[in-house]
């Protein structure tokens, strides 16, 4: 017997995922490719101009002055130096007004017990008309405000310097995000965008990485002078190959790109 609540939750999850997947398929156009403008806590934010040649993270939350969102934005604010170190510009978004964002940001800093900071470290977009939330598939059809209008879900979009979507994550309103994991994923995205490697399960910066099967053995030896270790398997197939993590400089990683290389396509290819 399946309870009605379980069916309802399953339908809600499917609707939310389908909406998010539809956005993701168009993400290279909608999130990065489109040069949208929006009002924010730093004035009119023009996405391309704001990001410049940096990486970017755009993340939405359901509502200002709510408990889980306060802990999330507090952690994001505390982690902002780590994002800056990785050349990642942070942008938050919700359906609340700029005035609410400014007032709430003081509560967030108080939650962090940070009396040394008077300015919030990244802009928060005020999408009160839900225009961006609709365009980017951020609305949760089952989470609504007192007026019955849908709220934004906990979405995360990572945008590369080429203004293309590199990663999308979707969390329900009841589950706060883990910004340590988001930083770890960004480390992997940046490493694999500029080095021909893939990162295995539970990888952390400094751990060994994997050599993709698409790289022949002779080329692998040339690419990875630190050595390539191949795990012996019962099948006899030599597809589990490891190498020490290559070095890369996030702030100057454009120097590591091969001319004309499509980073998004190759990253997907290497992950297969």
């Amino acid at each position: 017997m399946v309870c009605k609540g379980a069916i309802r939750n399953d339908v809600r999850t499917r609707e939310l995922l389908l909406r998010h997947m539809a956005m993701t398929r168009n993400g290279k156009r909608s999130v990065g490719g489109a040069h949208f403008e929006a009002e924010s806590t730093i004035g009119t934010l023009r996405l391309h101009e704001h990001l410049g040649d940096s990486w970017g993270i755009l993340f939405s939350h359901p509502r200002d002055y709510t408990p889980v969102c306060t802990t999330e934005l507090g952690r994001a604010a505390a982690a902002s130096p780590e994002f800056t170190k990785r050349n990642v510009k942070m942008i938050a978004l919700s359906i609340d007004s700029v005035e609410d964002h400014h007032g709430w940001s003081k509560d967030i800093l108080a939650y962090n017990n940070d009396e040394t900071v008077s300015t919030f470290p990244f802009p928060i977009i005020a999408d009160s008309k839900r225009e961006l939330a609709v365009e980017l598939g951020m609305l949760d059809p089952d989470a609504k405000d007192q007026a019955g209008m849908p709220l934004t879900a906990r979405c995360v979009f990572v945008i590369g310097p080429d203004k293309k979507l590199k990663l999308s994550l979707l969390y329900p309103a009841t589950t706060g995000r883990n910004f340590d994991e988001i930083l770890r994923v960004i480390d992997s995205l940046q490493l694999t965008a500029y080095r021909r490697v893939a990162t295995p399960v539970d990888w952390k910066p400094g751990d060994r990485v994997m050599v993709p099967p698409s790289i022949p053995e002779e080329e692998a030896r040339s690419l990875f002078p630190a050595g390539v270790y191949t795990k012996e398997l019962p099948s006899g197939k030599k597809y589990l190959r490891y190498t020490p993590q290559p070095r890369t400089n996030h702030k100057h990683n454009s120097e590591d790109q091969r001319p004309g290389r499509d980073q998004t396509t190759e990253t997907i290819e290497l992950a297969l």
Side-chain angles (χ1 to χ4, degrees):
M1 179 178 179
V2 180
C3 69
K4 293 181 179 179
I7 294 175
R8 178 175 176 274
N9 287 336
D10 183 61
V11 171
R12 174 196 173 191
T13 301
R14 184 167 62 251
E15 289 177 350
L16 194 55
L17 284 174
L18 287 173
R19 182 186 295 268
H20 189 67
M21 288 168 64
M23 184 289 307
T24 302
R25 283 195 295 271
N26 296 324
K28 294 175 185 177
R29 174 180 58 80
S30 298
V31 179
H35 177 46
F36 69 70
E37 296 184 2
E39 292 307 308
S40 76
T41 50
I42 61 170
T44 301
L45 187 148
R46 298 173 177 85
L47 181 64
H48 284 188
E49 293 178 13
H50 182 75
L51 292 181
D53 60 358
S54 300
W55 289 69
I57 176 173
L58 173 64
F59 55 105
S60 60
H61 61 274
R63 210 71 204 252
D64 293 0
Y65 297 109
T66 55
V68 176
C69 297
T70 300
T71 63
E72 282 194 318
L73 272 287
R75 178 68 183 98
S80 61
E82 290 298 319
F83 284 90
T84 300
K85 186 188 302 181
R86 291 162 173 79
N87 195 28
V88 179
K89 292 185 177 179
M90 308 171 73
I91 307 171
L93 178 150
S94 82
I95 60 170
D96 301 276
S97 67
V98 169
E99 182 180 1
D100 281 343
H101 289 336
H102 280 304
W104 181 48
S105 64
K106 297 176 183 177
D107 287 359
I108 296 171
L109 295 176
Y111 163 78
N112 281 356
N113 294 318
D114 194 344
E115 299 177 354
T116 63
V117 178
S118 58
T119 303
F120 205 67
F122 52 84
I124 308 177
I125 289 176
D127 188 28
S128 56
K129 294 182 179 179
R130 295 170 170 79
E131 293 174 347
L132 272 178
V134 169
E135 180 183 353
L136 303 181
M138 289 177 160
L139 291 178
D140 185 337
D142 205 47
K144 299 179 181 179
D145 61 16
Q146 294 180 347
M149 297 295 290
L151 301 174
T152 38
R154 301 187 193 280
C155 299
V156 179
F157 302 133
V158 177
I159 306 163
D162 55 3
K163 306 300 184 293
K164 292 181 180 179
L165 180 68
K166 303 301 181 183
L167 172 83
S168 64
L169 298 171
L170 177 64
Y171 292 71
T174 52
T175 303
R177 287 160 285 199
N178 185 324
F179 279 84
D180 289 331
E181 168 62 8
I182 292 172
L183 284 167
R184 187 194 75 89
V185 169
I186 288 173
D187 285 334
S188 174
L189 289 171
Q190 292 185 335
L191 174 64
T192 57
Y194 306 117
R195 293 288 187 253
R196 296 177 65 188
V197 296
T199 57
V201 63
D202 295 333
W203 173 87
K204 298 183 296 297
D207 290 351
R208 63 182 183 174
V209 295
M210 308 198 81
V211 179
S214 58
I215 301 178
E217 286 191 29
E218 184 175 344
E219 185 180 2
R221 286 194 294 269
S222 174
L223 283 173
F224 309 111
V228 176
Y229 166 75
T230 303
K231 174 71 174 178
E232 295 295 333
L233 300 169
S235 66
K237 298 182 183 296
K238 299 182 178 182
Y239 59 87
L240 280 181
R241 297 183 295 172
Y242 296 89
T243 189
Q245 177 184 321
R247 293 183 179 181
T248 185
N249 186 325
H250 299 314
K251 292 185 178 180
H252 304 286
N253 47 25
S254 60
E255 299 173 1
D256 299 327
Q257 299 184 52
R258 296 200 302 270
R261 176 180 176 187
D262 186 332
Q263 300 294 337
T264 304
T265 302
E266 185 153 5
T267 299
I268 294 173
E269 174 192 344
L270 297 182
L272 295 178

